[in-house]
Amino acid sequence: MERFNVYASRLITKKEYFSPGHRACQGCAEALAVRLVAKALGQNVIVSSATGCMEIVSSPLPFTNWRVPWIHVAFENTSAVASGVEGGTKALIRKGKLPDKGTVFLGMGGDGATTDIGLQSLSGAFERGHNFLYVCYDNEAYMNTGIQRSSSTPFGAATTTSPAGKLKPGQITWKKNMGEIAVAHNIPYVATACSSYPFDLIEKVKKAARIKGPAYVHVLSVCPTGWRIPPNKAIWIGRLAVETGVFPLYEVENGKYRITVDVPELKPVLDYLKPQGRFRHLTPELVDQIQERVTREYNQLKAKTAL
Amino acid sequence: MGERVGIEVSLAAAEAVKMANVDVVAAYPITPQTHIVEHLSELVADGELDAEFIPVESEHSAMSVCCGSSAVGARTFTCTSSQGLALMNEIVFIAPAMRLPIVMILANRSLSGPLSIWNDHTDVMSVRDCGWIQFFTENGQEAFDHVMFSFRVAENPAVSLPIMMNMDGFVLTHVIEPIEFWDQETVKQYLPDFEPVNRLHPDNPVTMGAFGLPGIFTEAKKAQDQALINSKPVILKAWKDMGDLVGRYYKPVETYHVEGAETVFLSMGSVGETVSLAVDQLRAQGKPVGQVKLRLWRPFPFEEFREAVRGVKQMIVIDRAITYGGVGGPVASEIRSALYLEENMPTITNFLCGLAGRDVTAEDYMAMFEKTEQMAKGKVRQEDYIIYGVRE
C-alpha cells in the first residue's frame, strides 16, 4: 500500500486551483487540505465558502487565490448559498439557458461554520437533497478570531474561551460528532479525512463528487497556531490523531460503514496529546478519561463496520 | 392588453412572478406573505412555472439561496415579512454589496414585540440603509405592474442591485381587487432576459464576495452608493416604458390636489387612498389641502419631492414606524432633512399611526389636519411627534 501511494502521487494533477501566495500561517494543514480538495475536484466546480480562515487568507480584495469560480456571502449560510448555486444552475440547464457540464457544487467551512452557527443551514440543504458536496475543515476552534472554543473543540483542550484554570481543565464538553449527524440525515455519502493522508482524502472527495445528492466530508485540519505545536509538526500530529484512534478515517456509503485507514493497534492517546500545548495542563486522570472514551468510540465505530 | 380579473392581490403578484419566468424562488413561510409563495409553489407543482422552488428552513437561508442563485445568473425571487426580514437582515445588507439583482416582495408587517401579524412599516424601516432599491405600492394593480418593473430595473446591467417592493400586509396582500393582467407578449416586450454582468461558471472563474481591507473598503462603499444613485434614470425609463405599453404612468412622487395647497399630507403605501378621501372632504370644506405620496424611497427622489411641495406652508407626515426616543418617525426625519436648505421650509407635523394594523380612517386624517392647524400656531420641533390614537 505504501509503495502504491508513492506511485499514485504522480497521478495527482500538478495544476493548482487554490493558488500559492495565500496568507495562511506557516504549517497550516487546513490550507493543505483545501489545496488537495481543489486538486481532487479540478476546474469544473463552483465553490461556496463560509467566512473563516480559508476565506480571509485567500480573498483580500482585489486579490484572489481561487482559480475556480468562488463565492463567499457570510459565515453561517454556506450550505444555503451552495443550495442556490446548485438550484439556479439546475434551473438554467433545464430551461436550456446553460449547457450541462456536470459541474460539482462545493460548500466549505470551518468547524464553527459547520458544527455551530451553520448547522441549521447545512441540515436544511441535506434534507432538501441538493446535489452538492460539503467539506468541513475542522481545526477544532475559531482560529480566525483568536482560538475560541467551538462545539468541535475536543475535551480538555485549552482555548481562549475555554482556558485551563484552577477550576476548569480547558474545554469541559466532548467534541460534537458531526460525521454521525450527517449520517443521521440519510445522505448517500459521509466520510472523514485528514490532510496527513492525502490520497485517502483525494479519493474520498472524488467519490463524494461523483455521487448524486448531498455528500459530506469532515477533514481534520491541524492548526499549529491554535494547537500550540511547531509548524513542521502538523502532518505528524494529523497522523497521530488517526493512529491513536482520536480521529478515525472512515466512510459511510449509503449507510454502510468502512474504515479506510485501518489501525490494527491503536497508540496511546497520550502520544497525540503530549506534543500539543493546548493539552499541556492535563492530569493523568483526565488523560485516562480521554483514553477510555476514545477506545470506546473506536470500538463502536468498528462494530458498525461489521454490520 | 391582458384581461381584467378580480383576484387576491397576493395571487396576482405570484402570477406576475410566473409571467416574468423566474428561475428560482426561495422562501420561508411567514404571515402575511404566505399566499404569494403558496401560489408560486402551486404553479411549480402544476408545471405552469418552470422554476426551482427551494423551501428553505429559515429566511436567513432564503436570502442566502437567493444570493447563490442570482450569482449563477438565475432570475431570482423571494418574499417575506417582518420577523423574516429581521432574520435575513445580515444577508439583506450583503446582497447589494455583491450587486445581486434579487427581487423581493416585502408584505409589510409590524416587528415584534409585542408579537403582531398586522400591517405597518416597522419592518422595512429597519432596513432603510441596506442599499436595496426600495419602493411602495398602493393597490393591487400597482403591485402586479411592479413585479415586471422590479425584474427589469434590478437586472439592468447598469443597475445590478436587489430591489424591494413593499406591499402592505393584509390591507393589500389579502384583498381581492380588479386587476388588469398583462399578456405574455407585453411582458416579453417590456422585460428582457437576464444577462448577468458576471456569473459563477467554470468557463470563466470569478471570485465573488472577497473581503475588503481598510485601504479599499471606502472605495467599494462609494461605488455601491453611486450605483444606487445611478439607478434612478433606469427606474424613470422603466416607468415611462411601462406607461407607453400598458397606459399606466408611474412617478417617484405622486401628487393629489396640490395645486394651490397650503397644507399637504405625505404618505407611503396603501394608506394613501384613505388620505385622499380626507383631502376630498377637506377640499369640499374649502380648505386648501393636498397630498403627496412617496412611491420611490431608495434612491430618494429629492428633485421630484422638492418640486412637489414647493410653496407649501404645512406638511403632515404620516409615519407607520417609530424611532424610539428620537426625532419622530423615519419618514418625517428624512423629509425634514430633504427640505432643510429650502427657502420657506414648511412647518412639519408628524403623526405616527396605523401601527400593527390599527385602522386609520379619513376622519382620523381630518383630525390630524385640525391638530396641525393648532400646532402650527406655535413652534413645532422635530421631537414633537404624536403617536396618534393612543387610548388615554
Side-chain angles (χ1 to χ4, degrees), chain B residues 115-272:
Chain B
L115 181 68
S116 164
I117 56 168
W118 288 278
N119 165 241
D120 63 32
H121 292 167
T122 47
D123 56 2
V124 56
M125 290 304 158
S126 76
V127 295
R128 185 191 64 179
D129 300 331
C130 65
W132 289 50
I133 297 170
Q134 300 176 49
F135 67 94
F136 286 77
T137 55
E138 191 175 337
N139 57 44
Q141 187 66 57
E142 286 192 19
F144 183 90
D145 292 344
H146 281 85
V147 168
M148 256 58 89
F149 163 87
S150 294
F151 283 112
R152 172 163 149 158
V153 171
E155 293 169 0
N156 184 307
V159 175
S160 203
L161 282 170
I163 192 162
M164 189 184 297
M165 167 171 146
N166 289 280
M167 195 165 141
D168 284 319
F170 292 115
V171 286
L172 192 47
T173 56
H174 284 53
V175 295
I176 294 170
E177 290 191 14
I179 294 170
E180 189 177 282
F181 273 47
W182 300 18
D183 56 43
Q184 201 64 54
E185 189 51 39
T186 311
V187 176
K188 204 175 156 194
Q189 266 179 282
Y190 183 73
L191 179 61
D193 285 345
F194 176 28
E195 296 293 341
V197 181
N198 282 304
R199 74 163 90 222
L200 290 173
H201 193 276
D203 287 353
N204 180 30
V206 289
T207 287
M208 291 189 185
F211 84 96
L213 288 162
I216 203 163
F217 189 88
T218 309
E219 285 69 21
K221 288 287 116 177
K222 167 72 182 170
Q224 191 189 330
D225 186 36
Q226 202 58 51
L228 187 56
I229 293 166
N230 291 350
S231 69
K232 199 173 150 199
V234 177
I235 292 169
L236 297 180
K237 176 84 166 53
W239 272 329
K240 165 79 170 58
D241 289 355
M242 193 200 297
D244 292 347
L245 271 175
V246 302
R248 286 179 292 279
Y249 289 90
Y250 296 104
K251 287 180 283 189
V253 177
E254 301 283 352
T255 56
Y256 183 67
H257 285 325
V258 285
E259 308 75 25
E262 290 182 5
T263 303
V264 296
F265 283 93
L266 183 131
S267 65
M268 282 158 77
S270 65
V271 299

Side-chain angles (χ1 to χ4, degrees), chain B residues 47-60:
Chain B
E48 287 184 46
L49 166 61
D50 187 1
E52 286 295 305
F53 183 86
I54 304 180
V56 282
E57 82 297 334
S58 73
E59 287 90 355
H60 193 282

Side-chain angles (χ1 to χ4, degrees), chain B residues 331-350:
Chain B
V331 180
S333 155
E334 296 256 321
I335 296 305
R336 282 194 199 94
S337 37
L339 295 175
Y340 184 66
L341 290 177
E342 297 301 289
E343 281 177 26
N344 304 318
M345 183 174 164
T347 303
I348 293 174
T349 54
N350 183 203

Side-chain angles (χ1 to χ4, degrees), chain A residues 49-50 73-82 118 121, chain B residues 60-61 64 90-91:
Chain A
S49 172
V73 178
F75 190 11
E76 69 284 59
N77 66 345
T78 320
S79 308
V81 173
S121 161
Chain B
H60 193 282
S61 283
S64 302
E90 182 197 22
I91 314 303

Side-chain angles (χ1 to χ4, degrees), chain A residues 177-251:
Chain A
N177 192 334
M178 197 52 219
E180 283 300 312
I181 291 171
V183 169
H185 285 77
N186 281 318
I187 58 173
Y189 189 78
V190 175
T192 60
C194 176
S195 44
S196 300
Y197 295 81
F199 308 110
D200 179 72
L201 186 151
I202 285 175
E203 246 175 72
K204 283 169 174 166
V205 169
K206 283 188 169 174
K207 188 191 267 191
R210 277 197 304 271
I211 281 167
K212 291 282 166 232
Y216 179 78
V217 179
H218 191 101
V219 183
L220 184 71
S221 306
V222 180
C223 171
T225 310
W227 295 14
R228 313 293 191 205
I229 57 166
N232 63 351
K233 296 286 188 225
I235 302 301
W236 176 64
I237 288 289
R239 289 230 158 214
L240 280 170
V242 176
E243 288 165 356
T244 54
V246 167
F247 192 85
L249 299 181
Y250 65 95
E251 64 179 9

Side-chain angles (χ1 to χ4, degrees), chain B residues 356-375:
Chain B
R358 176 77 64 91
D359 275 342
V360 188
T361 62
E363 286 67 34
D364 291 318
Y365 292 114
M366 289 165 74
M368 290 178 210
F369 173 74
E370 292 302 327
K371 181 78 184 161
T372 295
E373 294 269 88
Q374 291 165 21
M375 287 169 80

Side-chain angles (χ1 to χ4, degrees), chain A residues 44 46 56 59-61 64 67 69-73 76-77 80 84 87 90 92 94-95 97 101 120-121 128, chain B residues 21-23 50 52 56-58 60 64-65 69 72 90-91 94 200-203 205-211:
Chain A
N44 193 10
I46 299 178
I56 287 294
S59 75
L61 191 69
T64 182
R67 291 171 179 169
W70 183 90
I71 182 170
H72 156 255
V73 178
E76 69 284 59
N77 66 345
K90 199 159 108 183
L92 291 173
R94 195 174 58 232
K95 292 167 99 166
K97 295 178 189 173
K101 294 174 65 97
Q120 171 184 321
S121 161
R128 292 189 299 270
Chain B
N21 192 18
V22 70
D23 298 312
D50 187 1
E52 286 295 305
V56 282
E57 82 297 334
S58 73
H60 193 282
S64 302
V65 165
S69 66
V72 298
E90 182 197 22
I91 314 303
I94 297 174
L200 290 173
H201 193 276
D203 287 353
V206 289
T207 287
M208 291 189 185
F211 84 96

